[in-house]
């Protein structure tokens, strides 16, 4: 019983002292009528895991928009320095994306086929962390959809996130 209690206390305390961040992508909100929120958990001083959820509210008729209607992106980041303010990172991600692609079906206009696909990709970026916990990160990268021919080949991963570290 004591071993179980000790293991539980160690497990819970590991989460209590770890750095965590919650962020919102300002670029997507302003430029694309899209909401993207992210959660990041630091496993060590120089690496983290996280997940982003993107929801696209832009209409089909928009000239400039994401192809994906929704995208859930688990990611792993490795930070290249131990700097407490500015840091640079590389990221590997797997994006599960849902969308629609226009298809030609016997000459009928505006025919769309829904798809769900998974993209594997990489990104690079930089992050600023203030002494009060305010966070800004800027990143860019590309992924490639792997499973369905209906989906678009390339999946972008770009953003300017604002958030808070606790």
């Amino acid at each position: 019983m004591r071993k179980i209690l000790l293991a539980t206390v160690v497990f819970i305390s590991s989460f209590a002292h770890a750095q965590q961040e919650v962020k919102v992508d300002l670029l997507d909100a302003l430029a694309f009528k899209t909401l993207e929120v992210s959660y990041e958990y630091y496993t060590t001083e120089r690496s983290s895991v996280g997940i982003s959820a993107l929801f696209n509210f832009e209409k089909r008729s928009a000239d400039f928009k994401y192809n994906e209607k929704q995208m859930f992106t688990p990611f792993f980041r490795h930070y290249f320095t131990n700097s407490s303010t500015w840091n640079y990172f590389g990221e590997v991600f797997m994006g599960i994306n849902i969308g629609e692609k226009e298809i030609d079906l016997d000459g009928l206009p505006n025919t769309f086929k829904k798809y769900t696909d998974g993209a594997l990709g990489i990104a690079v970026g930089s992050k600023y962390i203030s002494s009060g916990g305010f966070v800004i990160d800027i990143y860019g990268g590309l992924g490639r959809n792997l499973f369905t021919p209906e989906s678009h080949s390339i999946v972008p991963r770009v953003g300017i996130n604002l958030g808070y570290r606790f």
Side-chain angles (χ1 to χ4, degrees):
M1 182 67 178
R2 287 184 185 169
K3 290 180 183 178
I4 293 172
L5 182 59
L6 179 62
T8 303
V9 168
V10 169
F11 180 74
I12 291 171
S13 67
S14 69
F15 286 105
H17 297 292
Q19 296 290 322
Q20 302 173 54
E21 295 174 4
V22 177
K23 300 172 277 194
V24 174
D25 192 336
L26 187 61
L27 176 68
D28 284 348
L30 295 176
F32 300 111
K33 284 177 84 175
T34 301
L35 175 66
E36 183 174 6
V37 293
S38 299
Y39 170 78
E40 189 172 353
Y41 174 80
Y42 285 78
T43 56
T44 67
E45 190 175 299
R46 293 179 68 175
S47 64
S48 67
V49 293
I51 188 161
S52 293
L54 178 136
F55 303 96
N56 187 350
F57 301 110
E58 192 67 75
K59 296 183 189 227
R60 284 184 189 160
S61 60
D63 293 331
F64 191 63
K65 67 179 180 68
Y66 281 118
N67 296 318
E68 298 77 25
K69 294 298 285 176
Q70 297 173 353
M71 187 163 168
F72 302 97
T73 310
F75 59 86
F76 170 79
R77 287 183 176 171
H78 177 74
Y79 292 88
F80 298 117
T81 67
N82 290 331
S83 174
S84 61
T85 53
W86 276 104
N87 209 333
Y88 301 95
F89 61 85
E91 175 182 288
V92 176
F93 68 89
M94 173 70 183
I96 307 344
N97 56 81
I98 300 164
E100 297 177 328
K101 186 173 183 181
E102 189 169 13
I103 59 171
D104 184 24
L105 187 63
D106 298 328
L108 296 174
N110 300 327
T111 306
F112 293 88
K113 183 167 185 176
K114 292 184 179 186
Y115 67 85
T116 300
D117 206 346
L120 184 62
I122 59 172
V124 294
S126 181
K127 180 182 285 190
Y128 171 76
I129 305 160
S130 75
S131 60
F134 179 71
V135 176
I136 299 174
D137 68 21
I138 301 167
Y139 59 88
L142 291 174
R144 182 166 185 84
N145 276 325
L146 303 172
F147 303 113
T148 61
E150 289 83 19
S151 64
H152 296 270
S153 299
I154 301 298
V155 174
R157 178 121 167 98
V158 295
I160 299 173
N161 286 334
L162 301 175
Y164 182 72
R165 176 181 275 192
F166 52 95

